[in-house]
Amino acid sequence: MAGKNMSLEKTPMPEQEPGVRSRNFDEVALGYTDGQAMAEAARCLGCKSSPCVAGCPVNVRIPEFIARVADGDFPAAAEIVTSSNALPAICGRVCPQEKQCESLCVRGKKGESVAIGRLERFVADKLLDAAADGAAAPAAGGTAPIGRGADRPRVAVVGAGPSGLTCAGELAKLGYAVTVFEALHTPGGVLVYGIPEFRLPKAIVRREIANLTSLGVEIITNVVVGRTIPLDELLGTAGYSAAYIASGAGLPKFQHIPGENLNGVYSANEFLTRINLMRAYEFPQYDTPLRVGDTVAVVGGGNVAMDAARCAKRVGAKNVYIVYRRGEAELPARLEEIHHAREEGVVFKFLTAPTRLEGDGDGFVRSMECQEMELGEPDASGRRRPVIKPGGVFTLDVSTVVVAIGNTPNPLIVSTTPGLAAESWGGVIADEETGATNRPGVYAGGDAVTGAATVILAMGAGKKAAAAIDVYLTQKG
């Protein structure tokens, strides 16, 4: 296109100092400068077919916002982004754009795709920075709640994670009175307890949530729906006309090997929650201890495993291992997360499966017995199946073990809501396009339905459910 920079090379981000950062997690949040953002945006071809939009679960109008960045009209770019994405500063940091919008970028066919994720982060940060003295930025979507009078329908959202917050924000913009019930003492879900500060600063999360509350969304913490109050009571005497279940997948999986009950063995959920939300790295100023010792082994190969390993480095572990039963090519983590872990000194032990944990006599883990593996034929996931390598048994001395092999939904809501259909593994059964369950007025989405997935997919489910709830309540009258 005329006037466009036709370079195929992606504009680099400002460099950060290599190596392990400080124990207190204070890190400089770096992103594009204005000039770098405009130069990168100028690489966009403005394709009329917009294949990148099809790759975005929340359908951000990508070419439109990028064109505004190229022109230097950052407020207009922000308005376009927030009209579709309730949490853009978060998505710009943690979403796997390389597998979604950027994977469909026409630029990527003969070079580097346009850095859509980095540009989204830039625009969102500009929006947040425009707020004076840390106050909430303009409301997501740039709109105020559409009033329906004092009798406007009330909707209950279970869970203040990315899916629940997105659904709540969309419904608030449509004029509904929305209350979000969160089990923990801080809203944000996995955004606050699971993703480390160095990847997603909690101040960013708080300000994005403030944008939603400015729309009129009410968030009530320390409420466990299914225990504090049943879902049916919300839909009955509590007066809510519909409900969206977005309780996530917070039940950790374990290997079920001998010794997993020893002290010093954590699920990744507990390990990251102690660090991210309960500030164990500042013990004894905060009363949540975390014993790591010199050597930490993290079992698993996903993004959560990388987060746990990098956190272990930051809380004082000298040696940190990623123990993964397949090879490097099969790692499910994002390439940049693997690169960052290596840069910070994490050692990868591929084709290694833990078989037993041994204690030290005082109930604490001291070693991990491992079995060397080989790769066989691909399994249902498409990755080559690990098989035992005869005779390949060895022992790894460890002081802490973190199990990061996945999570499933907590069955509490299903078990306390008569007639609500669910999968055998705990996931709520819901329509893929609308989030509707078999119970009228009850919708579900995100990890509570799919099992552990990405932030942006959970947000996409929340957005679809909000539209479906609006149709349901409109028809109901």
Side-chain angles (χ1 to χ4, degrees):
M1 296 180 66
K4 294 286 186 179
N5 175 5
M6 299 304 291
S7 169
L8 296 180
E9 294 185 3
K10 186 179 293 186
T11 303
M13 293 280 277
E15 293 186 2
Q16 299 188 40
E17 293 183 5
V20 178
R21 310 302 197 267
S22 61
R23 280 178 63 100
N24 65 6
F25 287 42
D26 290 336
E27 298 199 23
V28 177
L30 299 176
Y32 280 147
T33 64
D34 290 6
Q36 288 172 324
M38 292 173 69
E40 180 61 24
R43 296 181 59 243
C44 178
L45 298 174
C47 307
K48 290 184 178 180
S49 59
S50 304
C52 52
V53 177
C56 176
V58 295
N59 301 122
V60 172
R61 297 175 353 245
I62 293 170
E64 293 181 44
F65 100 77
I66 289 181
R68 300 290 76 75
V69 174
D71 294 338
D73 191 350
F74 306 138
E79 184 175 350
I80 293 169
V81 171
T82 56
S83 68
S84 301
N85 188 344
L87 308 170
I90 292 168
C91 292
R93 287 170 165 82
V94 303
C95 288
Q97 293 94 0
E98 70 280 0
K99 295 181 180 179
Q100 295 173 156
C101 53
E102 292 181 11
S103 71
L104 299 177
C105 177
V106 174
R107 275 289 194 190
K109 294 180 178 180
K110 294 184 178 180
E112 288 271 6
S113 62
V114 175
I116 299 168
R118 294 176 181 176
L119 290 172
E120 181 179 44
R121 169 184 167 177
F122 169 81
V123 167
D125 286 355
K126 279 285 186 183
L127 182 63
L128 293 179
D129 290 342
D133 299 324
T143 62
I146 302 171
R148 294 194 178 185
D151 61 344
R152 58 184 177 147
R154 302 170 66 206
V155 180
V157 174
V158 182
S163 191
L165 292 174
T166 298
C167 183
E170 293 294 316
L171 288 169
K173 286 189 285 185
L174 290 169
Y176 294 97
V178 186
T179 303
V180 180
F181 296 93
E182 169 56 43
L184 296 180
H185 62 281
T186 301
V190 69
L191 304 174
V192 292
Y193 74 73
I195 302 177
E197 180 79 10
F198 54 83
R199 281 220 293 137
L200 180 61
K202 301 302 173 279
I204 295 290
V205 180
R206 289 193 295 270
R207 292 169 75 179
E208 291 276 51
I209 292 174
N211 290 347
L212 296 178
T213 57
S214 72
L215 291 171
V217 174
E218 179 185 21
I219 300 177
I220 303 177
T221 58
N222 299 309
V223 176
V224 182
V225 175
R227 186 70 65 200
T228 308
I229 183 171
L231 182 64
D232 282 340
E233 187 173 331
L234 288 175
L235 295 169
T237 57
Y240 291 92
S241 302
Y244 179 61
I245 301 171
S247 48
L251 190 64
K253 294 180 181 178
F254 284 93
Q255 305 168 93
H256 303 293
I257 62 175
E260 273 191 314
N261 61 331
L262 288 167
N263 293 319
V265 180
Y266 298 90
S267 69
N269 275 29
E270 179 184 358
F271 188 74
L272 291 171
T273 298
R274 283 175 178 258
I275 291 173
N276 297 331
L277 191 56
M278 305 174 77
R279 301 178 72 168
Y281 54 89
E282 292 188 7
F283 179 81
Q285 288 87 347
Y286 286 80
D287 57 0
T288 303
L290 184 68
R291 171 191 182 274
V292 295
D294 288 339
T295 304
V296 176
V298 179
V299 182
N303 292 326
V304 174
M306 304 303 146
D307 286 343
R310 296 174 69 193
C311 282
K313 276 285 187 180
R314 286 164 170 76
V315 294
K318 296 178 181 177
N319 309 301
V320 178
Y321 300 105
I322 290 285
V323 179
Y324 183 58
R325 62 183 185 149
R326 288 183 166 96
E328 181 170 4
E330 289 74 36
L331 279 171
R334 299 178 70 185
L335 288 177
E336 66 178 65
E337 299 305 324
I338 298 168
H339 170 76
H340 291 156
R342 277 207 170 99
E343 184 184 47
E344 294 176 4
V346 175
V347 176
F348 288 75
K349 289 192 171 293
F350 295 115
L351 296 171
T352 301
T355 55
R356 175 184 297 272
L357 302 176
E358 298 287 350
D360 61 1
D362 292 324
F364 287 87
V365 65
R366 70 174 182 184
S367 65
M368 174 188 286
E369 181 184 275
C370 300
Q371 170 68 57
E372 291 183 9
M373 310 295 285
E374 297 175 327
L375 293 180
E377 295 300 315
D379 60 15
S381 72
R383 295 174 296 171
R384 295 178 64 189
R385 184 188 304 275
V387 295
I388 293 175
K389 181 179 180 179
V393 178
F394 67 95
T395 298
L396 185 67
D397 291 334
V398 295
S399 52
T400 298
V401 174
V402 181
V403 182
I405 59 173
N407 301 281
T408 58
N410 190 310
L412 180 60
I413 291 180
V414 171
S415 66
T416 58
T417 307
L420 182 62
E423 304 284 0
S424 59
W425 46 269
V428 178
I429 296 176
D431 183 84
E432 185 176 348
E433 291 303 316
T434 66
T437 71
N438 66 313
R439 291 281 305 270
V442 178
Y443 295 76
D447 292 1
V449 171
T450 62
T454 64
V455 168
I456 192 65
L457 287 175
M459 291 176 61
K463 190 172 181 178
K464 289 179 180 178
I469 291 170
D470 180 44
V471 171
Y472 168 78
L473 291 178
T474 300
Q475 292 175 344
K476 186 178 179 182

